[in-house]
Amino acid sequence: MSPDEHRAQRREAPEPEEGDRGIPKIVMVWIVVLLFWGVGYYLWQIGKPMLGGDSRSVPVQVVASTEGGAAAIDGGVIYNANCSACHQATGLGIPGAFPPLAGSEWVIGDPAIAVSIVHDGLQGAINVAGGSYMGVMPKFGGNLSNAEIAAVLTHIRSEWGNQAGAVETSLVDEHVTRFAERGPWSEAELISTFGKP
Ligand code: HEC
């Protein structure tokens, strides 16, 4: 065997090995930083109104006519444009996520309660028609006029088998005078202010 026979083998570089320099430290640091950022951002967003991530506000798709008050506004149109994405066209909501309006004690009870929820928003745990929910409902005061809020409430109180009376614009006016710009309600605050529906 001549020494040249193993020249090819001798030329080979040794198999590369990672040793203890597997993943560069800077990459590990980045992974940890991104993980904290992602989880932190998620936690930071809890309880904030859902704006679809792009900061658009709910468009006012219905031009309000205050002449003739709530009766002149089609509450069904306002419902489809502003509420049905979450509470669904059927008024049944989505189990576990969005509570039903059909058969809801909060909708057909004291109308001042429903006015409060829609004008100011609602968050935290709430029991609706025997189910429990934990979400955030955006406020509509400012996006919808008082007459539009009255019209959409009149609509949901008389749809899907609900049989409760119409809501007058004056009730929404009274709400604004009494509570001004308060934050979102919770179930406990609604009960302590208006009583259990
Ligand atoms: C972004 C989704 C979303 C939209 C849009 C929305 N809601 Fe809600 N709504 C919720 C959530 C979530 C709750 C429950 C909040 C909680 O868990 O505290 C709720 C609760 C309610 C309640 C009290 C509980 C019940 O089911 O009776 C009423 C009344 C209500 N919404 C009416 C409306 C009306 C009227 C509109 C349209 C003007 C509307 N919502 C638009 C998500 C939404």
Side-chain angles (χ1 to χ4, degrees):
M1 178 161 50
S2 82
D4 281 350
E5 257 179 273
H6 297 294
R7 254 171 58 202
Q9 277 162 315
R10 284 203 303 270
R11 218 172 41 228
E12 287 292 333
E15 275 294 316
E17 38 177 308
E18 289 179 353
D20 54 4
R21 291 172 296 120
I23 302 174
K25 280 213 183 65
I26 183 75
V27 174
M28 290 303 283
V29 168
W30 261 114
I31 290 173
V32 171
V33 166
L34 289 176
L35 212 70
F36 269 93
W37 173 73
V39 173
Y41 185 80
Y42 177 78
L43 294 176
W44 177 59
Q45 288 294 321
I46 288 181
K48 301 209 170 173
M50 287 177 266
L51 294 174
D54 59 3
S55 304
R56 279 182 298 185
S57 53
V58 179
V60 184
Q61 285 156 332
V62 178
V63 180
S65 109
T66 37
E67 262 174 72
I73 301 172
D74 186 342
V77 172
I78 297 181
Y79 182 82
N80 290 335
N82 297 280
C83 322
S84 64
C86 296
H87 294 287
Q88 307 297 295
T90 55
L92 295 175
I94 294 178
F98 302 117
L101 301 179
S104 160
E105 60 271 43
W106 305 97
V107 172
I108 57 186
D110 180 354
I113 296 181
V115 167
S116 304
I117 293 172
V118 174
H119 189 275
D120 304 323
L122 177 73
Q123 65 182 34
I126 186 166
N127 269 294
V128 183
S132 48
Y133 295 84
M134 176 84 189
V136 179
M137 148 107 183
K139 69 173 212 148
F140 284 88
N143 283 324
L144 296 178
S145 70
N146 290 0
E148 287 171 319
I149 290 177
V152 76
L153 289 177
T154 298
H155 173 77
I156 65 171
R157 279 162 64 86
S158 60
E159 273 288 308
W160 318 296
N162 289 352
Q163 290 178 338
V167 175
E168 299 296 332
T169 307
S170 58
L171 191 68
V172 188
D173 295 340
E174 276 166 35
H175 171 90
V176 174
T177 312
R178 183 170 169 198
F179 297 105
E181 284 300 314
R182 74 178 316 280
W185 294 82
S186 68
E187 180 183 45
E189 288 167 344
L190 287 171
I191 291 175
S192 68
T193 310
F194 302 102
K196 219 173 159 51

PDB file of all heavy atoms in Angstrom, residues 101 104-122 137 140 149-150 152-154 156-157 167 171-172 175 185 190 194 197:
ATOM      1  N   LEU A 101     -79.245  37.508  21.898  1.00  0.00           N
ATOM      2  CA  LEU A 101     -80.152  38.602  22.223  1.00  0.00           C
ATOM      3  C   LEU A 101     -81.576  38.055  22.275  1.00  0.00           C
ATOM      4  O   LEU A 101     -82.429  38.565  22.988  1.00  0.00           O
ATOM      5  CB  LEU A 101     -80.042  39.725  21.186  1.00  0.00           C
ATOM      6  CG  LEU A 101     -78.626  40.335  21.042  1.00  0.00           C
ATOM      7  CD1 LEU A 101     -78.623  41.422  19.979  1.00  0.00           C
ATOM      8  CD2 LEU A 101     -78.114  40.876  22.370  1.00  0.00           C
ATOM      9  N   SER A 104     -82.946  36.949  25.762  1.00  0.00           N
ATOM     10  CA  SER A 104     -82.048  37.459  26.808  1.00  0.00           C
ATOM     11  C   SER A 104     -82.803  38.351  27.786  1.00  0.00           C
ATOM     12  O   SER A 104     -83.503  39.286  27.381  1.00  0.00           O
ATOM     13  CB  SER A 104     -80.910  38.257  26.173  1.00  0.00           C
ATOM     14  OG  SER A 104     -80.333  39.122  27.141  1.00  0.00           O
ATOM     15  N   GLU A 105     -82.628  38.064  29.072  1.00  0.00           N
ATOM     16  CA  GLU A 105     -83.277  38.883  30.104  1.00  0.00           C
ATOM     17  C   GLU A 105     -82.784  40.332  30.065  1.00  0.00           C
ATOM     18  O   GLU A 105     -83.506  41.257  30.399  1.00  0.00           O
ATOM     19  CB  GLU A 105     -83.059  38.263  31.488  1.00  0.00           C
ATOM     20  CG  GLU A 105     -81.580  38.131  31.919  1.00  0.00           C
ATOM     21  CD  GLU A 105     -80.917  36.809  31.482  1.00  0.00           C
ATOM     22  OE1 GLU A 105     -81.129  36.395  30.335  1.00  0.00           O
ATOM     23  OE2 GLU A 105     -80.163  36.225  32.301  1.00  0.00           O
ATOM     24  N   TRP A 106     -81.521  40.535  29.615  1.00  0.00           N
ATOM     25  CA  TRP A 106     -80.939  41.888  29.564  1.00  0.00           C
ATOM     26  C   TRP A 106     -81.578  42.725  28.465  1.00  0.00           C
ATOM     27  O   TRP A 106     -81.586  43.943  28.516  1.00  0.00           O
ATOM     28  CB  TRP A 106     -79.430  41.800  29.331  1.00  0.00           C
ATOM     29  CG  TRP A 106     -78.747  40.952  30.340  1.00  0.00           C
ATOM     30  CD1 TRP A 106     -78.406  39.633  30.197  1.00  0.00           C
ATOM     31  CD2 TRP A 106     -78.354  41.319  31.670  1.00  0.00           C
ATOM     32  NE1 TRP A 106     -77.820  39.174  31.351  1.00  0.00           N
ATOM     33  CE2 TRP A 106     -77.769  40.182  32.275  1.00  0.00           C
ATOM     34  CE3 TRP A 106     -78.433  42.507  32.401  1.00  0.00           C
ATOM     35  CZ2 TRP A 106     -77.269  40.184  33.575  1.00  0.00           C
ATOM     36  CZ3 TRP A 106     -77.931  42.512  33.696  1.00  0.00           C
ATOM     37  CH2 TRP A 106     -77.358  41.364  34.269  1.00  0.00           C
ATOM     38  N   VAL A 107     -82.077  42.040  27.437  1.00  0.00           N
ATOM     39  CA  VAL A 107     -82.690  42.746  26.308  1.00  0.00           C
ATOM     40  C   VAL A 107     -84.149  43.067  26.600  1.00  0.00           C
ATOM     41  O   VAL A 107     -84.611  44.185  26.363  1.00  0.00           O
ATOM     42  CB  VAL A 107     -82.585  41.890  25.020  1.00  0.00           C
ATOM     43  CG1 VAL A 107     -83.388  42.514  23.886  1.00  0.00           C
ATOM     44  CG2 VAL A 107     -81.130  41.710  24.627  1.00  0.00           C
ATOM     45  N   ILE A 108     -84.872  42.079  27.138  1.00  0.00           N
ATOM     46  CA  ILE A 108     -86.318  42.288  27.296  1.00  0.00           C
ATOM     47  C   ILE A 108     -86.681  42.843  28.671  1.00  0.00           C
ATOM     48  O   ILE A 108     -87.818  43.220  28.891  1.00  0.00           O
ATOM     49  CB  ILE A 108     -87.104  40.976  27.009  1.00  0.00           C
ATOM     50  CG1 ILE A 108     -86.624  39.843  27.918  1.00  0.00           C
ATOM     51  CG2 ILE A 108     -86.953  40.567  25.562  1.00  0.00           C
ATOM     52  CD1 ILE A 108     -87.265  38.511  27.581  1.00  0.00           C
ATOM     53  N   GLY A 109     -85.695  42.934  29.581  1.00  0.00           N
ATOM     54  CA  GLY A 109     -85.988  43.522  30.894  1.00  0.00           C
ATOM     55  C   GLY A 109     -86.068  45.035  30.821  1.00  0.00           C
ATOM     56  O   GLY A 109     -86.361  45.603  29.756  1.00  0.00           O
ATOM     57  N   ASP A 110     -85.814  45.696  31.948  1.00  0.00           N
ATOM     58  CA  ASP A 110     -85.814  47.163  32.025  1.00  0.00           C
ATOM     59  C   ASP A 110     -85.005  47.743  30.853  1.00  0.00           C
ATOM     60  O   ASP A 110     -83.811  47.474  30.729  1.00  0.00           O
ATOM     61  CB  ASP A 110     -85.172  47.566  33.374  1.00  0.00           C
ATOM     62  CG  ASP A 110     -85.126  49.082  33.559  1.00  0.00           C
ATOM     63  OD1 ASP A 110     -85.473  49.810  32.611  1.00  0.00           O
ATOM     64  OD2 ASP A 110     -84.730  49.506  34.664  1.00  0.00           O
ATOM     65  N   PRO A 111     -85.661  48.517  29.965  1.00  0.00           N
ATOM     66  CA  PRO A 111     -84.939  49.014  28.778  1.00  0.00           C
ATOM     67  C   PRO A 111     -83.723  49.879  29.136  1.00  0.00           C
ATOM     68  O   PRO A 111     -82.796  50.009  28.333  1.00  0.00           O
ATOM     69  CB  PRO A 111     -85.988  49.820  28.018  1.00  0.00           C
ATOM     70  CG  PRO A 111     -87.102  50.051  28.983  1.00  0.00           C
ATOM     71  CD  PRO A 111     -87.073  48.925  29.973  1.00  0.00           C
ATOM     72  N   ALA A 112     -83.728  50.469  30.349  1.00  0.00           N
ATOM     73  CA  ALA A 112     -82.583  51.304  30.743  1.00  0.00           C
ATOM     74  C   ALA A 112     -81.296  50.472  30.776  1.00  0.00           C
ATOM     75  O   ALA A 112     -80.201  50.997  30.560  1.00  0.00           O
ATOM     76  CB  ALA A 112     -82.839  51.927  32.110  1.00  0.00           C
ATOM     77  N   ILE A 113     -81.430  49.155  31.022  1.00  0.00           N
ATOM     78  CA  ILE A 113     -80.252  48.280  31.061  1.00  0.00           C
ATOM     79  C   ILE A 113     -79.661  48.128  29.658  1.00  0.00           C
ATOM     80  O   ILE A 113     -78.464  48.313  29.444  1.00  0.00           O
ATOM     81  CB  ILE A 113     -80.628  46.891  31.630  1.00  0.00           C
ATOM     82  CG1 ILE A 113     -81.084  47.023  33.081  1.00  0.00           C
ATOM     83  CG2 ILE A 113     -79.453  45.939  31.485  1.00  0.00           C
ATOM     84  CD1 ILE A 113     -81.459  45.708  33.731  1.00  0.00           C
ATOM     85  N   ALA A 114     -80.524  47.797  28.693  1.00  0.00           N
ATOM     86  CA  ALA A 114     -80.047  47.599  27.324  1.00  0.00           C
ATOM     87  C   ALA A 114     -79.470  48.902  26.767  1.00  0.00           C
ATOM     88  O   ALA A 114     -78.465  48.889  26.052  1.00  0.00           O
ATOM     89  CB  ALA A 114     -81.187  47.082  26.447  1.00  0.00           C
ATOM     90  N   VAL A 115     -80.095  50.038  27.126  1.00  0.00           N
ATOM     91  CA  VAL A 115     -79.565  51.340  26.698  1.00  0.00           C
ATOM     92  C   VAL A 115     -78.141  51.496  27.226  1.00  0.00           C
ATOM     93  O   VAL A 115     -77.221  51.880  26.490  1.00  0.00           O
ATOM     94  CB  VAL A 115     -80.457  52.504  27.214  1.00  0.00           C
ATOM     95  CG1 VAL A 115     -79.744  53.841  27.044  1.00  0.00           C
ATOM     96  CG2 VAL A 115     -81.796  52.507  26.493  1.00  0.00           C
ATOM     97  N   SER A 116     -77.941  51.140  28.510  1.00  0.00           N
ATOM     98  CA  SER A 116     -76.614  51.292  29.124  1.00  0.00           C
ATOM     99  C   SER A 116     -75.582  50.440  28.413  1.00  0.00           C
ATOM    100  O   SER A 116     -74.470  50.889  28.108  1.00  0.00           O
ATOM    101  CB  SER A 116     -76.671  50.886  30.605  1.00  0.00           C
ATOM    102  OG  SER A 116     -77.643  51.644  31.278  1.00  0.00           O
ATOM    103  N   ILE A 117     -75.945  49.165  28.140  1.00  0.00           N
ATOM    104  CA  ILE A 117     -75.003  48.232  27.511  1.00  0.00           C
ATOM    105  C   ILE A 117     -74.584  48.745  26.130  1.00  0.00           C
ATOM    106  O   ILE A 117     -73.403  48.802  25.799  1.00  0.00           O
ATOM    107  CB  ILE A 117     -75.623  46.823  27.387  1.00  0.00           C
ATOM    108  CG1 ILE A 117     -75.823  46.219  28.782  1.00  0.00           C
ATOM    109  CG2 ILE A 117     -74.755  45.923  26.509  1.00  0.00           C
ATOM    110  CD1 ILE A 117     -76.596  44.913  28.796  1.00  0.00           C
ATOM    111  N   VAL A 118     -75.577  49.144  25.337  1.00  0.00           N
ATOM    112  CA  VAL A 118     -75.258  49.535  23.960  1.00  0.00           C
ATOM    113  C   VAL A 118     -74.580  50.918  23.923  1.00  0.00           C
ATOM    114  O   VAL A 118     -73.647  51.130  23.148  1.00  0.00           O
ATOM    115  CB  VAL A 118     -76.528  49.502  23.076  1.00  0.00           C
ATOM    116  CG1 VAL A 118     -76.242  50.057  21.692  1.00  0.00           C
ATOM    117  CG2 VAL A 118     -77.052  48.070  22.972  1.00  0.00           C
ATOM    118  N   HIS A 119     -74.997  51.836  24.789  1.00  0.00           N
ATOM    119  CA  HIS A 119     -74.382  53.166  24.770  1.00  0.00           C
ATOM    120  C   HIS A 119     -72.946  53.142  25.286  1.00  0.00           C
ATOM    121  O   HIS A 119     -72.054  53.756  24.702  1.00  0.00           O
ATOM    122  CB  HIS A 119     -75.210  54.153  25.597  1.00  0.00           C
ATOM    123  CG  HIS A 119     -74.746  55.583  25.447  1.00  0.00           C
ATOM    124  ND1 HIS A 119     -73.727  56.114  26.205  1.00  0.00           N
ATOM    125  CD2 HIS A 119     -75.125  56.564  24.586  1.00  0.00           C
ATOM    126  CE1 HIS A 119     -73.521  57.373  25.837  1.00  0.00           C
ATOM    127  NE2 HIS A 119     -74.346  57.669  24.855  1.00  0.00           N
ATOM    128  N   ASP A 120     -72.694  52.375  26.378  1.00  0.00           N
ATOM    129  CA  ASP A 120     -71.386  52.455  27.045  1.00  0.00           C
ATOM    130  C   ASP A 120     -70.508  51.228  26.867  1.00  0.00           C
ATOM    131  O   ASP A 120     -69.325  51.257  27.202  1.00  0.00           O
ATOM    132  CB  ASP A 120     -71.589  52.671  28.557  1.00  0.00           C
ATOM    133  CG  ASP A 120     -72.423  53.906  28.849  1.00  0.00           C
ATOM    134  OD1 ASP A 120     -72.264  54.906  28.130  1.00  0.00           O
ATOM    135  OD2 ASP A 120     -73.241  53.868  29.781  1.00  0.00           O
ATOM    136  N   GLY A 121     -71.089  50.117  26.390  1.00  0.00           N
ATOM    137  CA  GLY A 121     -70.310  48.883  26.286  1.00  0.00           C
ATOM    138  C   GLY A 121     -70.437  48.041  27.537  1.00  0.00           C
ATOM    139  O   GLY A 121     -71.011  48.471  28.545  1.00  0.00           O
ATOM    140  N   LEU A 122     -69.900  46.818  27.458  1.00  0.00           N
ATOM    141  CA  LEU A 122     -70.034  45.854  28.558  1.00  0.00           C
ATOM    142  C   LEU A 122     -68.812  44.967  28.551  1.00  0.00           C
ATOM    143  O   LEU A 122     -68.324  44.574  27.501  1.00  0.00           O
ATOM    144  CB  LEU A 122     -71.296  45.007  28.311  1.00  0.00           C
ATOM    145  CG  LEU A 122     -71.602  43.879  29.287  1.00  0.00           C
ATOM    146  CD1 LEU A 122     -72.097  44.461  30.610  1.00  0.00           C
ATOM    147  CD2 LEU A 122     -72.674  42.952  28.714  1.00  0.00           C
ATOM    148  N   MET A 137     -67.897  43.890  24.855  1.00  0.00           N
ATOM    149  CA  MET A 137     -68.839  44.453  23.877  1.00  0.00           C
ATOM    150  C   MET A 137     -68.495  45.924  23.725  1.00  0.00           C
ATOM    151  O   MET A 137     -68.397  46.643  24.714  1.00  0.00           O
ATOM    152  CB  MET A 137     -70.249  44.232  24.435  1.00  0.00           C
ATOM    153  CG  MET A 137     -71.224  45.281  24.054  1.00  0.00           C
ATOM    154  SD  MET A 137     -72.383  44.661  22.833  1.00  0.00           S
ATOM    155  CE  MET A 137     -73.296  46.177  22.578  1.00  0.00           C
ATOM    156  N   PHE A 140     -71.401  51.955  21.719  1.00  0.00           N
ATOM    157  CA  PHE A 140     -71.904  52.526  20.478  1.00  0.00           C
ATOM    158  C   PHE A 140     -72.271  54.000  20.635  1.00  0.00           C
ATOM    159  O   PHE A 140     -72.573  54.673  19.652  1.00  0.00           O
ATOM    160  CB  PHE A 140     -73.091  51.723  19.946  1.00  0.00           C
ATOM    161  CG  PHE A 140     -72.648  50.431  19.310  1.00  0.00           C
ATOM    162  CD1 PHE A 140     -72.510  49.288  20.074  1.00  0.00           C
ATOM    163  CD2 PHE A 140     -72.318  50.374  17.968  1.00  0.00           C
ATOM    164  CE1 PHE A 140     -72.068  48.097  19.500  1.00  0.00           C
ATOM    165  CE2 PHE A 140     -71.869  49.195  17.385  1.00  0.00           C
ATOM    166  CZ  PHE A 140     -71.745  48.054  18.156  1.00  0.00           C
ATOM    167  N   ILE A 149     -79.749  54.362  18.549  1.00  0.00           N
ATOM    168  CA  ILE A 149     -79.668  53.369  19.629  1.00  0.00           C
ATOM    169  C   ILE A 149     -81.079  52.942  20.043  1.00  0.00           C
ATOM    170  O   ILE A 149     -81.366  51.752  20.195  1.00  0.00           O
ATOM    171  CB  ILE A 149     -78.877  53.939  20.832  1.00  0.00           C
ATOM    172  CG1 ILE A 149     -77.391  54.065  20.448  1.00  0.00           C
ATOM    173  CG2 ILE A 149     -79.032  53.042  22.065  1.00  0.00           C
ATOM    174  CD1 ILE A 149     -76.504  54.682  21.520  1.00  0.00           C
ATOM    175  N   ALA A 150     -81.976  53.921  20.170  1.00  0.00           N
ATOM    176  CA  ALA A 150     -83.357  53.589  20.528  1.00  0.00           C
ATOM    177  C   ALA A 150     -83.978  52.687  19.469  1.00  0.00           C
ATOM    178  O   ALA A 150     -84.671  51.709  19.785  1.00  0.00           O
ATOM    179  CB  ALA A 150     -84.167  54.877  20.695  1.00  0.00           C
ATOM    180  N   VAL A 152     -82.465  50.596  17.296  1.00  0.00           N
ATOM    181  CA  VAL A 152     -81.920  49.242  17.243  1.00  0.00           C
ATOM    182  C   VAL A 152     -82.395  48.441  18.463  1.00  0.00           C
ATOM    183  O   VAL A 152     -82.658  47.238  18.374  1.00  0.00           O
ATOM    184  CB  VAL A 152     -80.374  49.244  17.102  1.00  0.00           C
ATOM    185  CG1 VAL A 152     -79.673  49.592  18.406  1.00  0.00           C
ATOM    186  CG2 VAL A 152     -79.873  47.894  16.594  1.00  0.00           C
ATOM    187  N   LEU A 153     -82.571  49.119  19.595  1.00  0.00           N
ATOM    188  CA  LEU A 153     -83.077  48.416  20.781  1.00  0.00           C
ATOM    189  C   LEU A 153     -84.543  48.035  20.594  1.00  0.00           C
ATOM    190  O   LEU A 153     -84.958  46.937  20.971  1.00  0.00           O
ATOM    191  CB  LEU A 153     -82.888  49.278  22.034  1.00  0.00           C
ATOM    192  CG  LEU A 153     -81.430  49.414  22.487  1.00  0.00           C
ATOM    193  CD1 LEU A 153     -81.310  50.345  23.679  1.00  0.00           C
ATOM    194  CD2 LEU A 153     -80.847  48.039  22.823  1.00  0.00           C
ATOM    195  N   THR A 154     -85.306  48.936  19.997  1.00  0.00           N
ATOM    196  CA  THR A 154     -86.704  48.608  19.707  1.00  0.00           C
ATOM    197  C   THR A 154     -86.752  47.366  18.816  1.00  0.00           C
ATOM    198  O   THR A 154     -87.558  46.460  19.027  1.00  0.00           O
ATOM    199  CB  THR A 154     -87.394  49.794  18.999  1.00  0.00           C
ATOM    200  OG1 THR A 154     -87.378  50.913  19.879  1.00  0.00           O
ATOM    201  CG2 THR A 154     -88.824  49.461  18.616  1.00  0.00           C
ATOM    202  N   ILE A 156     -84.363  44.870  18.500  1.00  0.00           N
ATOM    203  CA  ILE A 156     -83.978  43.590  19.132  1.00  0.00           C
ATOM    204  C   ILE A 156     -84.966  43.171  20.224  1.00  0.00           C
ATOM    205  O   ILE A 156     -85.048  42.002  20.559  1.00  0.00           O
ATOM    206  CB  ILE A 156     -82.529  43.622  19.720  1.00  0.00           C
ATOM    207  CG1 ILE A 156     -82.385  44.617  20.871  1.00  0.00           C
ATOM    208  CG2 ILE A 156     -81.508  43.903  18.624  1.00  0.00           C
ATOM    209  CD1 ILE A 156     -81.044  44.522  21.595  1.00  0.00           C
ATOM    210  N   ARG A 157     -85.729  44.144  20.764  1.00  0.00           N
ATOM    211  CA  ARG A 157     -86.715  43.773  21.784  1.00  0.00           C
ATOM    212  C   ARG A 157     -87.979  43.183  21.171  1.00  0.00           C
ATOM    213  O   ARG A 157     -88.843  42.666  21.900  1.00  0.00           O
ATOM    214  CB  ARG A 157     -87.060  45.007  22.639  1.00  0.00           C
ATOM    215  CG  ARG A 157     -86.011  45.269  23.729  1.00  0.00           C
ATOM    216  CD  ARG A 157     -86.097  46.674  24.277  1.00  0.00           C
ATOM    217  NE  ARG A 157     -87.359  46.965  24.963  1.00  0.00           N
ATOM    218  CZ  ARG A 157     -87.594  46.693  26.250  1.00  0.00           C
ATOM    219  NH1 ARG A 157     -86.678  46.115  26.981  1.00  0.00           N
ATOM    220  NH2 ARG A 157     -88.753  47.004  26.799  1.00  0.00           N
ATOM    221  N   VAL A 167     -88.381  51.328  22.545  1.00  0.00           N
ATOM    222  CA  VAL A 167     -87.523  52.200  23.353  1.00  0.00           C
ATOM    223  C   VAL A 167     -87.540  53.591  22.730  1.00  0.00           C
ATOM    224  O   VAL A 167     -87.295  53.739  21.537  1.00  0.00           O
ATOM    225  CB  VAL A 167     -86.077  51.649  23.406  1.00  0.00           C
ATOM    226  CG1 VAL A 167     -85.156  52.608  24.147  1.00  0.00           C
ATOM    227  CG2 VAL A 167     -86.067  50.272  24.057  1.00  0.00           C
ATOM    228  N   LEU A 171     -85.329  58.048  26.377  1.00  0.00           N
ATOM    229  CA  LEU A 171     -84.705  57.194  27.395  1.00  0.00           C
ATOM    230  C   LEU A 171     -83.180  57.209  27.240  1.00  0.00           C
ATOM    231  O   LEU A 171     -82.437  57.198  28.224  1.00  0.00           O
ATOM    232  CB  LEU A 171     -85.233  55.762  27.260  1.00  0.00           C
ATOM    233  CG  LEU A 171     -84.879  54.818  28.404  1.00  0.00           C
ATOM    234  CD1 LEU A 171     -85.601  55.232  29.684  1.00  0.00           C
ATOM    235  CD2 LEU A 171     -85.217  53.377  28.059  1.00  0.00           C
ATOM    236  N   VAL A 172     -82.720  57.250  25.976  1.00  0.00           N
ATOM    237  CA  VAL A 172     -81.274  57.322  25.732  1.00  0.00           C
ATOM    238  C   VAL A 172     -80.759  58.704  26.145  1.00  0.00           C
ATOM    239  O   VAL A 172     -79.692  58.819  26.751  1.00  0.00           O
ATOM    240  CB  VAL A 172     -80.950  57.024  24.244  1.00  0.00           C
ATOM    241  CG1 VAL A 172     -79.445  56.910  24.044  1.00  0.00           C
ATOM    242  CG2 VAL A 172     -81.655  55.750  23.774  1.00  0.00           C
ATOM    243  N   HIS A 175     -80.360  58.682  29.786  1.00  0.00           N
ATOM    244  CA  HIS A 175     -79.172  57.905  30.159  1.00  0.00           C
ATOM    245  C   HIS A 175     -77.916  58.777  30.065  1.00  0.00           C
ATOM    246  O   HIS A 175     -77.078  58.779  30.958  1.00  0.00           O
ATOM    247  CB  HIS A 175     -79.037  56.684  29.246  1.00  0.00           C
ATOM    248  CG  HIS A 175     -77.734  55.950  29.414  1.00  0.00           C
ATOM    249  ND1 HIS A 175     -77.567  54.923  30.314  1.00  0.00           N
ATOM    250  CD2 HIS A 175     -76.520  56.127  28.833  1.00  0.00           C
ATOM    251  CE1 HIS A 175     -76.314  54.514  30.282  1.00  0.00           C
ATOM    252  NE2 HIS A 175     -75.655  55.214  29.376  1.00  0.00           N
ATOM    253  N   TRP A 185     -69.864  48.919  31.263  1.00  0.00           N
ATOM    254  CA  TRP A 185     -70.515  48.352  32.438  1.00  0.00           C
ATOM    255  C   TRP A 185     -70.027  46.927  32.682  1.00  0.00           C
ATOM    256  O   TRP A 185     -69.505  46.295  31.773  1.00  0.00           O
ATOM    257  CB  TRP A 185     -72.028  48.317  32.235  1.00  0.00           C
ATOM    258  CG  TRP A 185     -72.654  49.665  32.150  1.00  0.00           C
ATOM    259  CD1 TRP A 185     -72.712  50.465  31.046  1.00  0.00           C
ATOM    260  CD2 TRP A 185     -73.318  50.380  33.199  1.00  0.00           C
ATOM    261  NE1 TRP A 185     -73.363  51.635  31.342  1.00  0.00           N
ATOM    262  CE2 TRP A 185     -73.748  51.608  32.654  1.00  0.00           C
ATOM    263  CE3 TRP A 185     -73.589  50.104  34.544  1.00  0.00           C
ATOM    264  CZ2 TRP A 185     -74.430  52.554  33.413  1.00  0.00           C
ATOM    265  CZ3 TRP A 185     -74.280  51.043  35.291  1.00  0.00           C
ATOM    266  CH2 TRP A 185     -74.693  52.261  34.731  1.00  0.00           C
ATOM    267  N   LEU A 190     -74.425  46.709  36.578  1.00  0.00           N
ATOM    268  CA  LEU A 190     -75.783  46.826  36.045  1.00  0.00           C
ATOM    269  C   LEU A 190     -76.793  46.424  37.108  1.00  0.00           C
ATOM    270  O   LEU A 190     -77.805  47.097  37.312  1.00  0.00           O
ATOM    271  CB  LEU A 190     -75.947  45.936  34.802  1.00  0.00           C
ATOM    272  CG  LEU A 190     -75.246  46.418  33.523  1.00  0.00           C
ATOM    273  CD1 LEU A 190     -75.317  45.349  32.451  1.00  0.00           C
ATOM    274  CD2 LEU A 190     -75.877  47.721  33.024  1.00  0.00           C
ATOM    275  N   PHE A 194     -79.491  48.968  38.403  1.00  0.00           N
ATOM    276  CA  PHE A 194     -80.861  48.821  37.885  1.00  0.00           C
ATOM    277  C   PHE A 194     -81.634  47.662  38.515  1.00  0.00           C
ATOM    278  O   PHE A 194     -82.803  47.467  38.217  1.00  0.00           O
ATOM    279  CB  PHE A 194     -80.829  48.602  36.366  1.00  0.00           C
ATOM    280  CG  PHE A 194     -80.152  49.710  35.610  1.00  0.00           C
ATOM    281  CD1 PHE A 194     -78.861  49.556  35.143  1.00  0.00           C
ATOM    282  CD2 PHE A 194     -80.812  50.914  35.377  1.00  0.00           C
ATOM    283  CE1 PHE A 194     -78.229  50.577  34.441  1.00  0.00           C
ATOM    284  CE2 PHE A 194     -80.180  51.940  34.677  1.00  0.00           C
ATOM    285  CZ  PHE A 194     -78.888  51.772  34.216  1.00  0.00           C
ATOM    286  N   PRO A 197     -82.382  41.897  36.116  1.00  0.00           N
ATOM    287  CA  PRO A 197     -83.429  41.912  35.104  1.00  0.00           C
ATOM    288  C   PRO A 197     -84.317  40.660  35.201  1.00  0.00           C
ATOM    289  O   PRO A 197     -83.849  39.637  35.649  1.00  0.00           O
ATOM    290  CB  PRO A 197     -82.675  41.918  33.780  1.00  0.00           C
ATOM    291  CG  PRO A 197     -81.370  41.279  34.089  1.00  0.00           C
ATOM    292  CD  PRO A 197     -81.049  41.632  35.515  1.00  0.00           C
TER     293      PRO A 197
END
